Amino acid sequence: MPGNVQGQIVSFTPEGQAITDIPVDRLNSAPRDISCTTHCDEHHTAGLFPPNHTEPNFTFLAILGEGGFLELVIVGDSAKIMLGLRVGDKVSVKW
């Protein structure tokens, strides 16, 4: 069954990872493969990843954060700086 969860960026980690207000438990039925996409501003990524992923540096990922909320990250860099993200930016997860 298709799904769509909406939220927004509410804060950033000191490293520049974007924390959203989307609880990871709202994404339990979402597939973890490329059929699930996350959009923020004009940026998008496919898949949902655990915090202990092994993706390479400079990859844009949607991570099921250990704090219980979806996070948008640039591996090894700052999503806030690299993508120009701001608190209040809309985020959607679709599958």
Side-chain angles (χ1 to χ4, degrees):
M1 170 155 61
N4 185 354
V5 177
Q6 303 288 321
Q8 65 182 342
I9 295 173
V10 294
S11 65
F12 291 93
T13 68
E15 298 80 23
Q17 296 181 11
I19 310 298
T20 74
D21 63 354
I22 300 173
V24 297
D25 62 356
R26 291 212 41 220
L27 302 171
N28 286 340
S29 64
R32 302 306 189 243
D33 62 19
I34 62 170
S35 66
C36 180
T37 58
T38 302
H39 304 264
C40 182
D41 198 18
E42 74 266 8
H43 310 288
H44 67 276
T45 185
L48 294 172
F49 293 83
N52 62 344
H53 65 85
T54 59
E55 297 302 305
N57 281 343
F58 305 110
T59 305
F60 179 44
L61 298 178
I63 293 182
L64 301 169
E66 291 177 335
F69 293 91
L70 185 72
E71 300 179 11
L72 304 178
V73 306
I74 298 283
V75 180
D77 211 328
S78 168
K80 180 179 181 179
I81 293 171
M82 292 290 291
L83 302 178
L85 302 179
R86 298 178 307 254
V87 168
D89 283 352
K90 302 297 181 201
V91 177
S92 65
V93 183
K94 300 176 184 181
W95 65 94

